[in-house]
Amino acid sequence: MENEMQTLDGAEETGISDVTNDVEKSVVDGDGILTEFEIRREQKAAEKKRRKKLAKRIVLPIVFALLFVFVLNILILPLTGAHARVGAVVEYNGDNQYITLGGENTMLSAHRAGGDLAPEETLSAFKLCMESDYRVDIVEFDLHLTKDGHLVLMHDHEVDRTSDGPAVFGKKDVKVQDKTLAELKTLNFGYNFQAPDGSYPYRDIEVIPDDVRILTLDEILTYLAEQRPDGDLNYIIEIKDKGKVGKKAMDKLFEAMERFGITDRTIVGTFQGDITKYIDDVYGGKVKRSAGILEVLNFYYAFLWGVKQNPDKLGYDVLQIPMGFNGFFDMATPQFIDYAHSLGIAVQYWTINDSDDIVKLINNRADAIMTDNPKLMYDIMTEMAE
């Protein structure tokens, strides 16, 4: 009997245990009993919610940190550009010949040979620079490589803006590198030039003057050497092409610079990062160059943060920059120029055609000013000197 009672007690305990387990696996709500599957689903939902909260705790601080960095660098720090990071540099005894410390020594650079006064980068513009009553210190121009391997003076990749190319070739957007020199020589690069009086002096003419046809690098260097045999003329030359074409253009430019003896009087520039690297890799120490876009940006923020840089590691001699962007990113303050001068870097500004801006830059110790109207700047400097 005792054994039977013990068996019944054991069975009862087992039954109670099973019921308890079943109850523990079920939850009673207002609608009835949830299954184990539904419990797991709710657990997963709860875990997902927990992870979202955790992600917010991690992501939000990162977002706010990035926002703070953005505001600091884009809004706050640029407003401190007038705060000196170094002392005023009023004397320079280094070997960078392009540091003039401004004032009456500011160099006058004819941008595209003075494109406001004559068709840009044509012989007619260079003649004004060399044979008029004003005198320039630097001529600035751009180079493209033709289909048959000639370096020609041209700013745009296409011929449309400055010539009658669409009418001659019968289509738009013809690239310089897709035409031979002979084909390009048939164009009138004064066709779209508008004189200060509003007229188009090179339209409706029977014979195209030679001084508004496209120029080769050899042609212009020969002419300039004849006009300034004293060797005091400086050059700013930009390589426009990229890739293999740009590298070939750089090779040809260097050969011409050596042949005409202007290597030490020329700053080579480019907006193409691969060509900048090519110049450093192949012609490092032989060619003076201006800073590339990213290098300018890095330099500007190094100034804003007051970073002490190693001049030997910069890799360029000159900053060629605008005054700023919409008057906000001001790179024309005397404090910024002093910072550059303290590192042995010259500062040259483009493209400055406003008389007030010219006066401001001269007074702020800019080393050179590139302008489409060299006569305007020459007259301003003459008046300031007097």
Side-chain angles (χ1 to χ4, degrees), residues 185-309:
K185 281 285 189 181
T186 65
L187 301 182
N188 176 357
F189 279 91
Y191 185 80
N192 289 322
F193 171 73
Q194 188 173 15
D197 62 5
S199 65
Y200 291 87
Y202 295 99
R203 290 186 180 179
D204 302 321
I205 54 178
E206 294 182 3
V207 180
I208 302 173
D210 287 339
D211 63 2
V212 293
R213 296 185 188 274
I214 201 164
L215 279 171
T216 66
L217 178 62
D218 272 19
E219 286 173 339
I220 194 55
L221 292 183
T222 298
Y223 169 77
L224 294 174
E226 293 171 349
Q227 295 296 313
R228 297 281 281 271
D230 51 3
D232 66 343
L233 182 65
N234 292 273
Y235 299 81
I236 295 173
I237 303 176
E238 182 179 341
I239 298 290
K240 304 298 288 190
D241 295 310
K242 61 182 178 180
K244 292 181 179 180
V245 176
K247 292 174 183 178
K248 186 176 180 181
M250 183 61 223
D251 292 338
K252 286 182 172 290
L253 171 59
F254 181 75
E255 185 277 327
M257 289 162 53
E258 290 284 277
R259 182 158 37 90
F260 282 89
I262 63 168
T263 307
D264 62 343
R265 292 184 280 130
T266 302
I267 293 292
V268 178
T270 180
F271 281 93
Q272 310 297 344
D274 62 327
I275 305 305
T276 296
K277 185 177 184 304
Y278 183 74
I279 293 172
D280 289 344
D281 291 345
V282 179
Y283 300 104
K286 300 177 183 178
V287 171
K288 298 177 181 179
R289 69 169 178 87
S290 58
I293 296 175
L294 291 179
E295 289 172 323
V296 169
L297 187 62
N298 289 337
F299 191 92
Y300 176 64
Y301 276 104
F303 158 70
L304 291 180
W305 285 98
V307 176
K308 293 183 179 180
Q309 302 188 76

Side-chain angles (χ1 to χ4, degrees), residues 44-60:
K44 287 182 179 180
E47 177 65 16
K48 187 176 181 181
K49 188 175 181 180
R50 185 187 69 81
R51 289 179 178 178
K52 283 185 176 180
K53 288 183 178 179
L54 183 62
K56 286 182 179 180
R57 291 176 183 175
I58 296 174
V59 172
L60 286 179

Side-chain angles (χ1 to χ4, degrees), residues 154 156-179 184 187 191-192:
M154 181 76 179
D156 300 0
H157 291 283
E158 297 83 16
V159 301
D160 300 34
R161 181 179 61 86
T162 53
S163 79
D164 55 351
V168 174
F169 295 139
K171 60 180 180 180
K172 296 181 178 180
D173 300 326
V174 172
K175 295 183 181 296
V176 175
Q177 67 180 25
D178 293 334
K179 293 294 181 181
L184 293 168
L187 301 182
Y191 185 80
N192 289 322

Side-chain angles (χ1 to χ4, degrees), residues 30 35 50 55 57 78 80 136-137 181 206 311 325 338 349 381:
T35 66
R50 185 187 69 81
R57 291 176 183 175
T80 70
V136 304
D137 304 298
L181 176 61
E206 294 182 3
F325 301 97
D338 283 332
Y349 291 89
M381 293 192 69

